[in-house]
Amino acid sequence: MTRKDTDALLAELTDEIPIQHDPEFLRRLAANFGDIATLYRRLYGARPDWKESLHDLVRMLAGAYRARPVQLKELDRTRERNPRWYLDHSIVSTMVYVDRFAGDLRGMERKIPYFHELGVNLIHIMPILDYPDERNDGGYAVRDYRAVRAEFGTTEDLSEFARLLHDEGMYLELDFVVNHCSDEHEWAVRARRGEKRYQDYFFMYEDRVIPDAFERSLPEVFPETAPGNFTWVPEIGRWVMTVFHEYQWDLNFSNPDVLSEMLDTMFFLVSLGVDVVRMDAVPYLWKRIGTTSQNLEEAHRVMQLFHACARVVAPGVVFVAEAIVQPHEIVRYFGENEYAGRECEVAYNASLMVLLWDAIATGGTRLLRRGLEAIPDVPDGVTWLTYLRCHDDIGLGYDDNDIRAVGFDPTAHRAFIVEYFTGHYPGSDACGAPFMYNPKTRDARISGTAASLAGLETAIASRDPERIGLAIDRVIMLYSLVFSIGGIPIVYYGDEIATLNDYSYTEKRATRSDNRWMHRPTIDWATAALRSIEGTVENRVFTAISRLIAVRKTRPEFAGSMRVVETFDEHVLGFVRDADRSRILVLANVSPQPRTIDSSVIRFSGIGPDVRDIAFTRPVSSHEGTMSLPPYGFYWMCGV
């Protein structure tokens, strides 16, 4: 659409909407309407009623703006003056299950001092919106987007928690399950009753002709527990698209009513005080026969529309793309071409997680280094989420070409990684479990907490202090990379006190078939209290991680550029972080043996010749032109 076209459309709308005299709303609408109208027409322009639907959308935006609380409007104005607030290197995230971490939202309020003690300030609470007791996919099958599940509290409790975080200079992140809803959601219930309006919110077919056409190219997300992508609903005699589980009905974004409903729902949630919205499963937002129905251009347009509309109603909010796909596809969720930097401000660096664990299994940095060097360039003003563990499994999403390039066979290497982290490979202390083994592809993913995957569970059982020490050092070294590689680092809850696998999930019908619950632990606060007792495992890990977070917050280099450097030792990773005229050299030994490298690495990195370690203010071990790193040792070095 031309500027003249969009200006004419905007003139029509501003005569109709009930907030035409609010200069702030009109300023933001005018600034973003070109994108909104253009994207809307690209998605829905083939419909004869697309202009009327667009008018309805703008009326909804006006209502959402009017309903936004005064204090959040003021926060929006502050962030408009500092639109890249989320790029601050002092931001460190954690993600927690409310019930398993603190009981409920009131309990979360009481844990704010703990967050301060650790040093995290972006609190991502896992799904708490109303979901069924069973058949809920850990909360990702939402029954009511506008209600908090009763066991966690109320929407008022959520809003109060957000307010308290803001008072403490912290931020709240919440999941928004945008691709699908529970089959118990009101829309699904009404569709099951036969209401045509709500049946059109989903993909429904009376026979298998279209479902079979889809299935020929659709992959399976959960091949063990939810094979196929369609579920038969006998009450209405239709097949419903259910890409994830049979009780999660995919929403049909080719229907503009669905877009409007989900936008309005999102604005309800962010007006409770949410700062960061994790947009769940965004690669799946658009479906087309003959494709994998992932990462389609229309899915990006939907996300760009979400972004443009948010800039009108709640410009202080940022989006996280939950896109666990190949790096060249992930980077597209930051926006491309004229929408570069205007889709999602943050995305998960999904490949980094498996590359870090790969380094532990192989004791080498070949794949990790290649992965770091291959991270695509991103638009200005966006960033990654960097993490070692999360609530999900570890998917082996390597690029086959990268695996071959470093001398491994892709199939054999993936099999080795699964064997290693499930403790079946000779010499491995790892204690994980395979997740979603696919007999067709012989592929699997991995479950387990960071500490158990790093060998601590096995080491503690052996009562061998040396093995325990090595496992602790593995965890700390891995987190030293998470904190220094770049982006917003995440400390997955429990990792800071070396929490082991929780096997109680096998005792509950709702969770026993999903071993990811072994790394979604219930925190034992008596055990957590051991972090204050010197010499305990909890103390050694918590002290180190909180120290690294504190140091990171003082160093602007960790928000600067990153460049991999040659260490001439495949067991030692090296990279430089730059900001203005200051520089930090990071070295990390990923092997269980001490390594000695040439001190010229320091000189060539541009920080030498005299250096100091800032991670733990310890001397750098060097001798006659060489430098030593103990097993799983690391340095954050800068010039004296």
Side-chain angles (χ1 to χ4, degrees), residues 101-115 161 164:
F101 184 79
D104 56 20
L105 287 165
R106 293 295 178 87
M108 290 292 293
E109 294 176 9
R110 294 189 289 273
K111 296 304 180 187
I112 290 176
Y114 180 82
F115 296 137
F161 180 56
L164 291 172

Side-chain angles (χ1 to χ4, degrees), residues 571-600:
H571 306 284
V572 178
L573 179 69
F575 56 89
V576 166
R577 300 303 310 273
D578 283 295
D580 298 326
R581 297 181 180 179
S582 59
R583 178 172 295 171
I584 290 174
L585 170 65
V586 176
L587 295 174
N589 176 10
V590 302
S591 78
Q593 288 82 36
R595 306 301 303 176
T596 299
I597 64 173
D598 196 289
S599 295
S600 62

Side-chain angles (χ1 to χ4, degrees), residues 73-344:
K73 286 182 177 179
E74 185 55 43
L75 185 60
D76 289 333
R77 295 178 193 116
T78 299
R79 291 179 181 168
E80 281 186 301
R81 295 189 290 271
N82 178 28
R84 297 182 177 181
W85 60 270
Y86 51 90
L87 298 181
D88 193 302
H89 65 281
S90 68
I91 296 179
V92 179
S93 180
T94 189
M95 53 194 307
V96 304
Y97 281 92
V98 169
D99 53 335
R100 291 166 173 258
F101 184 79
D104 56 20
L105 287 165
R106 293 295 178 87
M108 290 292 293
E109 294 176 9
R110 294 189 289 273
K111 296 304 180 187
I112 290 176
Y114 180 82
F115 296 137
H116 274 303
E117 182 185 355
L118 178 58
V120 295
N121 48 17
L122 171 56
I123 314 303
H124 175 192
I125 55 178
M126 300 302 288
I128 62 167
L129 302 180
D130 183 50
Y131 55 79
D133 291 339
E134 299 184 8
R135 293 161 48 92
N136 58 51
D137 190 25
Y140 287 98
V142 180
R143 180 168 55 190
D144 187 346
Y145 289 98
R146 295 173 183 259
V148 169
R149 184 170 163 85
E151 68 185 270
F152 303 134
T154 65
T155 53
E156 290 76 18
D157 293 332
L158 179 59
S159 184
E160 176 64 8
F161 180 56
R163 186 191 67 78
L164 291 172
L165 289 180
H166 293 162
D167 288 347
E168 296 291 329
M170 296 180 173
Y171 313 96
L172 175 63
E173 179 177 348
L174 194 70
D175 288 87
F176 184 44
V177 185
V178 67
N179 176 71
H180 48 260
C181 66
S182 165
D183 63 358
E184 295 185 25
H185 191 284
E186 179 190 5
W187 302 336
V189 171
R190 295 180 73 169
R192 199 183 282 111
R193 288 176 186 160
E195 295 186 39
K196 179 68 166 59
R197 169 181 169 83
Y198 292 100
Q199 289 182 350
D200 289 345
Y201 278 33
F202 305 99
F203 298 87
M204 292 190 167
Y205 308 99
E206 294 181 352
D207 56 38
R208 287 289 310 187
V209 175
I210 294 179
D212 285 345
F214 269 115
E215 291 285 17
R216 281 191 280 273
S217 56
L218 287 180
E220 294 176 322
V221 176
F222 296 117
E224 282 187 328
T225 57
N229 292 276
F230 288 85
T231 298
W232 177 251
V233 182
E235 300 98 304
I236 52 174
R238 283 174 169 79
W239 291 94
V240 178
M241 181 177 279
T242 54
V243 166
F244 286 80
H245 292 98
E246 64 178 16
Y247 51 82
Q248 290 167 299
W249 289 12
D250 284 62
L251 292 164
N252 183 0
F253 276 90
S254 67
N255 179 351
D257 290 344
V258 170
L259 175 77
S260 186
E261 288 265 28
M262 294 302 282
L263 273 166
D264 194 37
T265 299
M266 184 194 70
F267 289 132
F268 169 81
L269 295 173
V270 300
S271 285
L272 296 175
V274 175
D275 304 285
V276 179
V277 181
R278 178 186 178 274
M279 306 293 281
D280 184 64
V282 291
Y284 300 86
L285 290 184
W286 203 272
K287 313 300 195 294
R288 188 187 307 134
I289 291 172
T291 73
T292 62
S293 293
Q294 295 182 32
N295 307 306
L296 298 181
E297 185 60 37
E298 293 89 344
H300 290 282
R301 291 174 185 166
V302 170
M303 284 307 305
Q304 289 155 10
L305 255 176
F306 267 93
H307 188 276
C309 291
R311 301 287 72 76
V312 176
V313 175
V317 170
V318 300
F319 292 153
V320 172
E322 193 263 335
I324 310 305
V325 291
Q326 290 292 330
H328 70 276
E329 289 288 358
I330 296 175
V331 75
R332 294 179 62 207
Y333 290 92
F334 290 126
E336 298 179 288
N337 303 319
E338 71 268 37
Y339 294 103
R342 293 192 289 142
E343 187 167 334
C344 291

Side-chain angles (χ1 to χ4, degrees), residues 304-408:
Q304 289 155 10
L305 255 176
F306 267 93
H307 188 276
C309 291
R311 301 287 72 76
V312 176
V313 175
V317 170
V318 300
F319 292 153
V320 172
E322 193 263 335
I324 310 305
V325 291
Q326 290 292 330
H328 70 276
E329 289 288 358
I330 296 175
V331 75
R332 294 179 62 207
Y333 290 92
F334 290 126
E336 298 179 288
N337 303 319
E338 71 268 37
Y339 294 103
R342 293 192 289 142
E343 187 167 334
C344 291
E345 292 87 352
V346 186
Y348 287 93
N349 194 340
S351 299
L352 181 62
M353 175 171 65
V354 67
L355 290 170
L356 290 171
W357 289 111
D358 182 277
I360 293 298
T362 62
T365 65
R366 282 186 284 172
L367 260 177
L368 174 57
R369 174 173 176 149
R370 185 174 179 87
L372 290 176
E373 291 175 332
I375 292 176
D377 292 334
V378 301
D380 191 34
V382 303
T383 193
W384 297 103
L385 278 168
T386 305
Y387 57 111
L388 178 64
R389 285 302 289 120
C390 67
H391 72 293
D392 231 334
D393 54 89
I394 300 173
L396 307 186
Y398 305 98
D399 186 307
D400 285 0
N401 292 326
D402 287 344
I403 298 176
R404 293 189 187 96
V406 299
F408 300 138

Side-chain angles (χ1 to χ4, degrees), residues 597-604 622-627:
I597 64 173
D598 196 289
S599 295
S600 62
V601 172
I602 295 176
R603 184 171 68 257
F604 292 144
S622 61
H623 179 69
E624 296 183 354
T626 63
M627 179 170 46

Side-chain angles (χ1 to χ4, degrees), residues 3 24 46 98 123 140 158 162 174 320 357 393 425 443 457 476 490 492 505-506 510-511 520 524 540 584 593 595 617:
R3 177 66 180 269
E24 182 174 67
V98 169
I123 314 303
Y140 287 98
L158 179 59
L174 194 70
V320 172
W357 289 111
D393 54 89
Y425 192 82
D443 192 18
E457 185 173 334
I476 296 170
I490 301 173
Y492 184 60
Y505 77 95
T506 61
T511 59
R520 301 170 180 176
D524 180 342
R540 292 162 71 181
I584 290 174
Q593 288 82 36
R595 306 301 303 176
T617 60

Side-chain angles (χ1 to χ4, degrees), residues 448-495:
T449 67
S452 289
L453 292 175
L456 185 59
E457 185 173 334
T458 301
I460 289 173
S462 75
R463 299 185 180 183
D464 182 337
E466 184 176 348
R467 288 171 77 181
I468 292 171
L470 277 177
I472 290 172
D473 290 342
R474 285 188 195 104
V475 172
I476 296 170
M477 183 274 294
L478 287 167
Y479 264 104
S480 80
L481 295 176
V482 168
F483 295 141
S484 58
I485 279 175
I488 301 172
I490 301 173
V491 181
Y492 184 60
Y493 86 113
D495 282 2

